[in-house]
Amino acid sequence: MNLTNKKIIVTGASSGIGKELLFLLAAYQGVRIIAVARGVEQIDTFWGKVIPFACDVSSPEGIDALFTFAQQTFGNTDLFIANAGFAYIEKLDEADWKHIEDIFSLNTFSPIYTLQKLIQEGNSEKNFVCTVSAAAIVSLPAYALYCSSKSALRHFINTYRYEKPANLHITTVYPVATRTGFFDKATGKKATPLPFPAQNVQIVAKAIIKGIEKNKKQVFPSFIFRVAYPLGRAFPFLFTIYSLLEKRKMSRWLK
Ligand SMILES: NC(=O)c1ccc[n+]([C@@H]2O[C@H](COP(=O)([O-])OP(=O)(O)OC[C@H]3O[C@@H](n4cnc5c(N)ncnc54)[C@H](OP(=O)(O)O)[C@@H]3O)[C@@H](O)[C@H]2O)c1
């Protein structure tokens, strides 16, 4: 997709990957971007190209309100980047339905519902980009709910690719650990250890933009993961060893 003059929505735009995406997208000529988060005070408007919209996208009401605002602001959307998401890093113990529901609502239900809303807009060419995670593919101990919420999303999209209308292009993104506030938010503590390997947010955002421009189906921003993924598929015990090493690191930290 050529990004010039495009009408774009980015969720999770107030920090981390979404914030960096805004910075890169705003450099394109003629773009209009609706930048979504629950707290939008920190969002730069980039000389009026970016329109902040405060919204909780973990509920259908929030997503409906976002689409109504987008219709009023610029009509149909050319590119939707479903990037808002969060993790728990935890020792799962007490049964807590709401805890499970909260993470699946944002990480899984929200992008699926958004995709349906986008399709309802009609036959114009549109791109849907979704920040999934390498954790959808490889098990990360202490992240069971996060991994499963992203894995369900990944499998939905992989299956839906066979069903989708021709005017819709879907790009899924699989970052490894990315240095944002994501991990400290997941524990509520400072200096939470990151899984191996870790990469900078600029690398991830640049890879996403490149992937959109080249109409990629999948984007793997980490070179290490691009090498490790086929190896792990061919020799699954390599992923098991990785998960055991991460387990050792996280169980020490969670004590
Ligand atoms: N960082 C990583 O290592 C990593 C790796 C792989 C994949 N990812 C995925 O990449 C995406 C972005 O992560 P990040 O590292 O940039 O995290 P981040 O820095 O914590 O940013 C998360 C963004 O999502 C917004 N958000 C959270 N809950 C929301 C809600 N209910 N409604 C609307 N917006 C909401 C936050 O703003 P408000 O709090 O103001 O709403 C913030 O702008 C997530 O989907 C994450 O799962 C991250």
Side-chain angles (χ1 to χ4, degrees):
M1 168 180 260
N2 177 356
L3 286 163
T4 307
N5 294 328
K6 289 297 183 288
K7 295 172 286 178
I8 303 168
I9 300 177
V10 182
T11 70
S14 65
S15 72
I17 297 170
K19 185 176 175 182
E20 193 61 28
L21 280 172
L22 273 193
F23 176 74
L24 297 178
L25 287 168
Y28 286 82
Q29 210 180 359
V31 289
R32 297 178 73 195
I33 308 166
I34 296 177
V36 184
R38 289 165 303 177
V40 294
E41 303 75 24
Q42 304 296 323
I43 294 180
D44 195 326
T45 58
F46 292 95
W47 319 280
K49 280 180 166 177
V50 171
I51 306 144
F53 184 68
C55 171
D56 182 344
V57 293
S58 68
S59 74
E61 294 77 17
I63 299 167
D64 290 346
L66 170 58
F67 273 87
T68 303
F69 178 74
Q71 273 297 337
Q72 288 162 353
T73 307
F74 55 40
N76 285 355
T77 304
D78 300 309
L79 168 63
F80 196 112
I81 307 183
N83 170 70
F86 78 97
Y88 303 125
I89 303 175
E90 62 189 349
K91 203 172 169 186
L92 265 182
D93 37 31
E94 270 175 46
D96 183 343
W97 187 277
K98 172 97 174 47
H99 190 66
I100 304 166
E101 193 174 63
D102 284 351
I103 194 163
F104 273 81
S105 292
L106 184 62
N107 292 1
T108 318
F109 301 164
S110 173
I112 295 173
Y113 183 79
T114 299
L115 185 56
Q116 292 180 304
K117 294 282 294 185
L118 197 62
I119 292 162
Q120 279 169 19
E121 284 192 345
N123 297 330
S124 58
E125 287 295 314
K126 43 187 87 255
N127 276 29
F128 180 75
V129 176
C130 199
T131 317
V132 189
S133 171
I137 299 168
V138 183
S139 296
L140 274 180
Y143 293 76
L145 284 174
Y146 178 69
C147 289
S148 53
S149 69
K150 293 288 188 175
S151 191
L153 175 63
R154 173 174 182 253
H155 201 51
F156 167 80
I157 291 178
N158 284 346
T159 308
Y160 186 69
R161 284 188 192 284
Y162 297 98
E163 306 173 19
K164 71 172 187 62
N167 63 313
L168 176 76
H169 187 274
I170 306 178
T171 304
T172 41
V173 186
Y174 297 93
V176 296
T178 307
R179 294 181 194 93
T180 67
F182 176 85
F183 296 94
D184 286 352
K185 287 182 202 169
T187 58
K189 293 177 190 162
K190 288 205 165 127
T192 306
L194 270 60
F196 173 82
Q199 64 191 347
N200 288 337
V201 69
Q202 290 81 5
I203 292 175
V204 177
K206 275 186 194 155
I208 295 174
I209 299 293
K210 203 169 145 193
I212 296 169
E213 289 184 319
K214 294 193 164 182
N215 289 329
K216 293 269 186 198
K217 282 188 180 172
Q218 302 185 102
V219 173
F220 295 95
S222 158
F223 173 74
I224 297 177
F225 194 72
R226 286 200 295 276
V227 174
Y229 182 32
L231 282 175
R233 281 171 65 140
F235 307 106
F237 72 91
L238 293 174
F239 279 165
T240 308
I241 293 170
Y242 170 82
S243 299
L244 287 170
L245 290 171
E246 286 295 325
K247 178 183 175 180
R248 195 165 68 171
K249 179 165 86 189
M250 286 318 293
S251 37
R252 274 194 208 132
W253 197 78
L254 283 172
K255 260 184 199 158

